[in-house]
Amino acid sequence: MRWLSRLLSHAAAAGRTSAVARSTSIHVSGGSHGFASGGWEGSPAVPREWLRKLWREELRKQKEAARALGAFARSYESVEAAGAATEAPSRSYQYDDRDLDPAKLAPLLARANLVIARDIEWANIMFAFEQESRYIIMDPLFPQSPVGFIREKSNVIFRQLLRTRRPFVAEITDAMGNEIFKVCRPFWLINSSIYTEVDGKEIGAVHRRWHLWRRIYDLYLGNRQFAVVENPGFWNWIFSLVDEDDKLLAQIDRNWRGIGFELFTDAGQYAIRFGDEGLSHKFALAADVEELHVARQLTLPERAVALALAISLDCDYFSRRGGWGLPFLIATE
């Protein structure tokens, strides 16, 4: 008869469970007190220990769901961060001296002074057809032979429509045509920028700051600003690079080339002076370049950024539209 008593006890427990379910569906508004006491008079009471087990089981499931959701959120954030790091533009490149071989920049930039002269663009003079800019780089000590060239590469349609605001890439090469580094100048509306790249890696940039009449440029090596140019504007053609303590680091002079060049062409000439201590002999063009006493010598990567500044100055302030349509006579100095 022992099995019969077990069967009856199981049947009674099942009856109590079904009664609880019916009381829940009928007396929803009765609250938790009514549910625990059976819901109506005479109904069997639900054991409180059983309710505690249900409550604990529900809490456990909620905690597991919260942990799973937190793990998913953390994995999603890590994927987002990895994607952002992968897609980060070269503009945020952290410069490291170990990424650059100084021997590549030294043949051109390890000089006290450089003279950059822009070629005459005959199509621009006669027909206002904008050509790709070309520059010759010379050493004032040896002006007979160029030490490098600057050649612009840009779209012909952009050159005619956007003029000096056009985007372009310029290659700086040695006298044999071997590329040393590049400068990239994107399209701009208000403030121009130009970026210096060596072996495809961005090492520095020059950003122009808007001012009503002053010519202000910030020079960066990586994400660190190492110099600023604050030219008073108007007819001042000397652009001095100074550090945060207002000490002179280098200087770019836009030289006067004669009335014919200045009125009818945009073939400007720029002298970049890095400081020439220790050079006692001067020849030819070097006699026209004054000695410059600087607080410190610029590194080779910083000099590459300074050369990019000279290109940006020429495009921002000293390039003009041609199309005179007259026989051209150069009046030399």
Side-chain angles (χ1 to χ4, degrees):
M1 298 297 291
R2 190 173 297 173
W3 61 272
L4 182 60
S5 62
R6 288 199 193 98
L7 182 62
L8 291 176
S9 63
H10 286 308
R16 286 195 298 270
T17 305
S18 62
V20 169
R22 287 194 300 273
S23 67
T24 305
S25 62
I26 296 173
H27 298 279
V28 176
S29 62
S32 62
H33 178 72
F35 178 82
S37 62
W40 66 84
E41 187 177 355
S43 63
V46 179
R48 293 184 178 275
E49 185 63 29
W50 183 72
L51 291 176
R52 290 193 189 97
K53 289 181 179 180
L54 286 179
W55 181 65
R56 291 180 187 137
E57 184 67 18
E58 185 67 21
L59 285 180
R60 186 183 64 80
K61 291 179 179 179
Q62 290 179 359
K63 290 180 180 179
E64 289 179 354
R67 284 195 295 268
L69 183 61
F72 174 76
R74 287 191 296 271
S75 63
Y76 180 78
E77 289 175 357
S78 63
V79 171
E80 285 277 318
T86 303
E87 299 176 2
S90 61
R91 299 293 179 258
S92 60
Y93 171 74
Q94 297 289 338
Y95 170 75
D96 191 345
D97 289 332
R98 295 171 296 182
D99 296 338
L100 185 63
D101 182 13
K104 188 169 186 177
L105 300 177
L108 177 64
L109 299 177
R111 303 171 186 268
N113 305 289
L114 291 175
V115 175
I116 302 175
R118 183 171 177 175
D119 287 345
I120 297 175
E121 300 171 3
W122 292 101
N124 187 19
I125 295 171
M126 303 302 296
F127 309 110
F129 182 83
E130 194 72 30
Q131 299 175 257
E132 291 180 336
S133 300
R134 297 286 188 270
Y135 303 84
I136 300 174
I137 306 176
M138 298 172 287
D139 188 337
L141 292 176
F142 309 99
Q144 297 83 5
S145 57
V147 296
F149 299 96
I150 303 174
R151 294 181 175 89
E152 174 192 345
K153 292 184 178 180
S154 59
N155 184 279
V156 61
I157 298 177
F158 287 165
R159 288 201 306 271
Q160 312 314 315
L161 296 179
L162 302 178
R163 296 290 172 172
T164 58
R165 285 178 166 80
R166 66 184 181 267
F168 67 81
V169 175
E171 293 182 350
I172 291 84
T173 65
D174 59 17
M176 303 301 295
N178 302 313
E179 180 185 316
I180 300 176
F181 63 95
K182 289 182 179 179
V183 295
C184 303
R185 182 177 158 101
F187 167 76
W188 61 279
L189 283 175
I190 300 176
N191 295 321
S192 65
S193 296
I194 192 166
Y195 302 89
T196 306
E197 296 181 359
V198 179
D199 294 330
K201 295 181 179 180
E202 181 183 316
I203 65 168
V206 179
H207 301 293
R208 176 184 169 189
R209 254 191 286 162
W210 186 88
H211 194 275
L212 187 58
W213 66 86
R214 299 173 68 188
R215 301 162 179 175
I216 305 176
Y217 289 85
D218 297 313
L219 286 78
Y220 291 85
L221 190 64
N223 293 330
R224 177 184 63 86
Q225 183 175 358
F226 70 90
V228 64
V229 173
E230 296 184 350
N231 180 275
F234 299 107
W235 289 101
N236 191 307
W237 287 1
I238 298 177
F239 300 86
S240 299
L241 284 68
V242 298
D243 60 12
E244 58 184 0
D245 298 324
D246 204 30
K247 294 181 179 179
L248 186 62
L249 299 177
Q251 202 170 75
I252 300 176
D253 298 347
R254 209 280 189 178
N255 294 339
W256 175 267
R257 299 191 70 182
I259 189 67
F261 276 99
E262 301 300 337
L263 288 183
F264 300 104
T265 78
D266 53 6
Q269 181 172 285
Y270 303 85
I272 306 179
R273 298 190 289 162
F274 299 118
D276 51 3
E277 293 95 340
L279 297 179
S280 57
H281 301 288
K282 292 187 174 183
F283 309 94
L285 288 177
D288 299 329
V289 180
E290 298 179 359
E291 290 188 3
L292 184 70
H293 301 285
V294 296
R296 68 172 179 87
Q297 292 287 327
L298 293 180
T299 64
L300 294 179
E302 291 173 341
R303 296 186 180 201
V305 177
L307 193 149
L309 170 62
I311 299 174
S312 192
L313 288 172
D314 184 63
C315 295
D316 287 343
Y317 297 110
F318 301 105
S319 294
R320 61 175 61 88
R321 187 185 181 114
W324 294 92
L326 298 172
F328 180 70
L329 177 64
I330 299 178
T332 57
E333 299 151 67

